[in-house]
Amino acid sequence: METYPIPMVPGPVRVPPEVLAALQVDYGSGDLEREFLDLYNQTEANLQQLCATRNRIVIQTGEGMLALWGALKSTLRPGERVLALATGVFGYGIAEMARAIGAEVKIIGLPYDATLNNWEEIEAAIHEFKPKMITAVHCETPSGTLNPLAEVGRLKAKYGVPLFYVDAVSSIGGTPVEVDAWGIDLALGGSQKVLSAPPMMAFVAVSEAAWEIIEQVDYVGYDALKPFRHAQARFEFPYTPNWHGVASLKVASDLLLQEGLANVFARHEQVAAYCWQRLQALGLRLLPRPEAIPSPTVTAVYVPEGITWPDLDARFRQHGLVVGGSYGPLAGKVFRLGHMGSQADMRLVTQALDVIELVVRAL
Ligand code: PLP
């Protein structure tokens, strides 16, 4: 496999050596050794800090989509109402997923370059539709946008909506995700974004209200949350624990906490601002519309005129830079720089922008 000296894909991101080292250990059985339980509990405590929550955190084997599916299936029955706030690939995708499991879904949607700002429309929909669950995406990775969620949490509380489900897969750790303050009942994270671990773990911060509903729904499946409710207390996990995966998450979250979350967030803001400024100075157009909120973890840029995305990608690679394309209606039109976690590094981002400048100026 060819590896590139300037990795800028918005997940999986470059895995730091400390995290790689945690994978190179011949662990015993996580079902038998109490050491694994201690590790799981400590990792949960770390992730609680990243999510600003006292809620329990379920750590599952699998990547982000596992958490997205498992949390929906564990809390919804066919016919129940879901209000999906959608501003991008994942927001609209979650609406489709909820529909696929039989929920009655109403979408409040905005274009892919926007972030939530239509509060009156959202409030009216909550009032009239009376959903059991509101879904939203914090960072829409394919669009490089960050949805403000505090106001959704306020509306959720005002109308007594039972569940607020948030995909924070590409924001947790890189920018504040205030699970308790924003009233999030199911906050979903993955290992290969800001945490910079391999793509093999997912986690969900589950509120007490969500646990009650999980008991009632009683969903059974590999991705079910229910078996995790008492897994630690009974030292009984639903399948062989992925010791390597949990160990990598532990080291990854330790690294962020040792740096200090305020410093980590500032690092992401700085590299993102630098990235936006240099791209715009080159005459490139950022995807988020001017009034939208760009994410400090990923930047989406329009492919310049006169070149196709595959050609641009090939030229970047010739210079050692690998970036992401995009998905859905943005496929082929947009490329993305993932400056999250280990890649929120000014030296790396400067190298990436130097290559982009070289290639774009030569067009
Ligand atoms: N949600 C968002 C916002 C994502 O960016 C991604 C992956 O890019 C996912 C969910 C799915 O995660 P995974 O690819 O780890 O299954």
Side-chain angles (χ1 to χ4, degrees):
M1 187 200 71
E2 189 164 355
T3 55
Y4 293 87
I6 316 172
M8 275 284 129
V9 173
V13 307
R14 185 173 63 180
V15 180
E18 297 92 327
V19 177
L20 280 178
L23 298 164
Q24 282 158 2
V25 177
D26 186 20
Y27 298 105
S29 164
D31 284 322
L32 303 178
E33 310 298 332
R34 290 206 75 86
E35 213 180 319
F36 172 76
L37 184 59
D38 293 340
L39 176 78
Y40 186 100
N41 291 337
Q42 289 157 10
T43 309
E44 177 186 37
N46 281 2
L47 296 175
Q48 284 170 324
Q49 290 190 59
L50 300 190
C51 296
T53 187
R54 300 163 77 112
N55 291 344
R56 298 264 313 285
I57 305 224
V58 172
I59 305 171
Q60 295 174 290
T61 301
E63 30 51 67
M65 290 312 297
L66 180 104
L68 266 62
W69 278 113
L72 284 179
K73 290 181 169 177
S74 295
T75 54
L76 290 175
R77 291 198 184 98
E80 291 183 328
R81 291 184 170 185
V82 173
L83 181 70
L85 308 181
T87 62
V89 171
F90 285 95
Y92 287 97
I94 289 165
E96 288 308 311
M97 290 161 64
R99 255 185 205 134
I101 62 174
E104 187 189 341
V105 180
K106 181 178 176 69
I107 299 176
I108 297 289
L110 291 177
Y112 284 53
D113 59 354
T115 45
L116 296 175
N117 60 3
N118 46 341
W119 305 117
E120 282 177 19
E121 188 189 8
I122 293 170
E123 178 159 7
I126 295 174
H127 181 58
E128 284 156 26
F129 188 59
K130 300 192 178 25
K132 175 182 182 181
M133 175 189 280
I134 301 172
T135 66
V137 177
H138 192 210
C139 171
E140 266 291 355
T141 331
S143 301
T145 51
L146 194 75
N147 278 307
L149 298 180
E151 180 62 11
V152 183
R154 198 187 66 76
L155 292 172
K156 172 216 150 174
K158 179 172 173 188
Y159 291 95
V161 178
L163 292 172
F164 184 20
Y165 168 110
V166 172
D167 172 348
V169 166
S170 60
S171 56
I172 288 177
T175 190
V177 178
E178 300 278 342
V179 168
D180 290 354
W182 300 344
I184 301 172
D185 298 282
L186 297 154
L188 316 164
S191 52
Q192 80 273 26
K193 303 284 187 187
V194 178
L195 280 148
S196 313
M200 61 168 147
M201 302 305 287
F203 51 93
V204 190
V206 182
S207 72
E208 264 317 305
W211 280 122
E212 292 304 319
I213 291 172
I214 288 164
E215 289 290 341
Q216 291 158 17
V217 170
D218 202 17
Y219 164 65
V220 178
Y222 177 74
D223 54 354
L225 292 174
K226 189 180 165 199
F228 285 90
R229 187 167 194 188
H230 303 293
Q232 291 147 280
R234 296 177 186 160
F235 191 12
E236 202 174 277
F237 289 90
Y239 41 77
T240 304
N242 183 342
W243 197 325
H244 291 85
V246 177
S248 68
L249 269 187
K250 167 71 168 54
V251 175
S253 49
D254 278 343
L255 289 176
L256 295 177
L257 294 171
Q258 281 156 12
E259 184 179 344
L261 284 185
N263 297 330
V264 175
F265 298 158
R267 172 161 61 86
H268 283 77
E269 290 289 347
Q270 277 158 13
V271 294
Y274 175 71
C275 197
W276 304 330
Q277 175 255 313
R278 273 197 68 183
L279 290 166
Q280 284 172 317
L282 271 176
L284 294 177
R285 201 172 133 221
L286 305 184
L287 175 82
R289 53 176 70 184
E291 67 273 23
I293 305 169
S295 174
T297 55
V298 52
T299 292
V301 198
Y302 283 101
V303 172
E305 300 222 338
I307 188 164
T308 62
W309 156 241
D311 194 7
L312 187 67
D313 185 32
R315 292 193 201 191
F316 287 161
R317 284 173 191 258
Q318 277 166 9
H319 294 280
L321 167 66
V322 59
V323 301
S326 197
Y327 300 101
L330 306 178
K333 296 182 189 151
V334 162
F335 72 93
R336 294 173 303 147
L337 297 169
H339 35 74
M340 56 179 76
S342 62
Q343 295 174 189
D345 172 336
M346 196 54 103
R347 198 184 53 85
L348 192 66
V349 173
T350 303
Q351 286 175 348
L353 287 155
D354 288 347
V355 170
I356 294 172
E357 182 163 345
L358 195 76
V359 169
V360 169
R361 288 217 190 281
L363 287 180

